[in-house]
Amino acid sequence: MQSRPLDAQELYVRIGHHLSIMPVDLERYTPENEIWISKAVALIKAAGDPRDTAEVKAAATNYRGTPSYYGKTFWGIMQRALASAELAAPASSAGAFLPVGSQMDAMSAISKIFKEAQAKVLVVDPYMDEVILTDFAAMIPEGVQLNLLSDSASVKGTVAPAVRRWTSQYAAKRPIEARTTPPRALHDRLIIVDDNKVWSVSQSFKDLAARSPASIALVPTDVAMLKVPAYADIWTTATPL
């Protein structure tokens, strides 16, 4: 059975995700590394660049015998494929994959998403702290409602006072509300814009791309159609912070 071809957005998401889970030491052979490489070969082949496809196949074929040499090549090939896939993907998907230490890139990627909002943004983060307000919330256009949803078991104590200070300073100019769910009820980290588009965030906003690679990926429409009403129901029953 022939596999289904990937569209531009899906290819971009898959390559970016695979880069984000790249083994730390590919210059040492392990079966797990070889599995990662096999999947990388399939993604590069799907990307369609003949030179990269030939190069990654050669590296994979020779990897087991000389991992210290060929293990170095995969990062560059995958980065080239990601750059090409990003150009082909919809603009809303761009900038979704972030290497370690790229906190400014993370802020830029979040900013692009927040600026799309016209009425409402819901941020879901079980481990939320004040960073969502100090570093990110001001990127949302004035007049757009910001709703913050966290988990009562893991939300940081700095959120409530930060929300009070935000409300005191901005009032209706930048409306905000924060709520919490029962303990351990939340597992996703999401941005939902205008009850329409949904982005999945791989890490808590307070740690985004700080110590490990991060991803901010647009959720496929069929999945978003399930997430939006589900989180609307969760928000309705959540407790005001």
Side-chain angles (χ1 to χ4, degrees), residues 86-100:
E86 184 175 352
L87 289 174
S92 59
S93 300
F97 297 97
L98 308 159
V100 177

Side-chain angles (χ1 to χ4, degrees), residues 2-237:
Q2 190 173 9
S3 60
R4 174 181 62 85
L6 304 178
D7 63 29
Q9 180 177 317
E10 187 176 358
L11 182 61
Y12 173 61
V13 169
R14 289 197 181 193
I15 292 174
H17 174 71
H18 203 55
L19 258 174
S20 74
I21 61 170
M22 182 177 181
V24 174
D25 185 11
L26 275 178
E27 296 178 37
R28 179 177 60 86
Y29 175 81
T30 67
E32 291 78 14
N33 286 356
E34 194 164 41
I35 291 171
W36 184 91
I37 287 169
S38 297
K39 294 179 180 179
V41 171
L43 288 169
I44 297 300
K45 184 179 178 181
D49 184 279
R51 184 173 67 90
D52 283 346
T53 299
E55 187 175 344
V56 78
K57 283 183 176 180
T61 298
N62 295 289
Y63 173 71
R64 183 176 294 194
T66 321
S68 60
Y69 178 80
Y70 287 100
K72 301 174 183 178
T73 65
F74 293 100
W75 174 257
I77 299 171
M78 290 288 287
Q79 285 286 352
R80 288 199 300 270
L82 181 65
S84 296
E86 184 175 352
L87 289 174
S92 59
S93 300
F97 297 97
L98 308 159
V100 177
S102 58
Q103 291 97 320
M104 285 302 299
D105 290 342
M107 291 181 70
S108 176
I110 296 294
S111 176
K112 291 177 184 177
I113 296 169
F114 281 172
K115 286 177 180 177
E116 290 194 21
Q118 297 181 4
K120 181 171 64 175
V121 172
L122 172 63
V123 175
V124 180
D125 184 350
Y127 295 89
M128 190 178 294
D129 72 358
E130 78 284 358
V131 168
I132 189 62
L133 294 180
T134 60
D135 289 11
F136 295 103
M139 302 170 184
I140 297 173
E142 289 187 3
V144 170
Q145 173 71 38
L146 172 59
N147 291 336
L148 304 177
L149 183 63
S150 192
D151 192 300
S152 61
S154 48
V155 65
K156 305 307 176 185
T158 53
V159 175
V163 169
R164 288 195 294 270
R165 288 194 296 269
W166 181 276
T167 301
S168 176
Q169 179 168 338
Y170 296 113
K173 187 177 180 181
R174 292 185 177 274
I176 189 172
E177 185 175 357
R179 298 184 183 184
T180 58
T181 65
R184 289 167 288 280
L186 286 183
H187 304 286
D188 290 327
R189 286 171 293 267
L190 302 173
I191 302 170
I192 301 177
V193 172
D194 295 333
D195 289 333
N196 182 17
K197 290 185 177 180
V198 181
W199 282 263
S200 174
V201 185
S202 66
Q203 298 168 2
S204 179
F205 283 81
K206 65 186 179 64
D207 300 318
L208 199 54
R211 293 186 294 273
S212 61
S215 64
I216 306 167
L218 185 66
V219 171
T221 302
D222 57 340
V223 178
M225 290 175 65
L226 300 175
K227 294 283 188 184
V228 170
Y231 276 94
D233 289 344
I234 293 172
W235 175 262
T236 299
T237 58

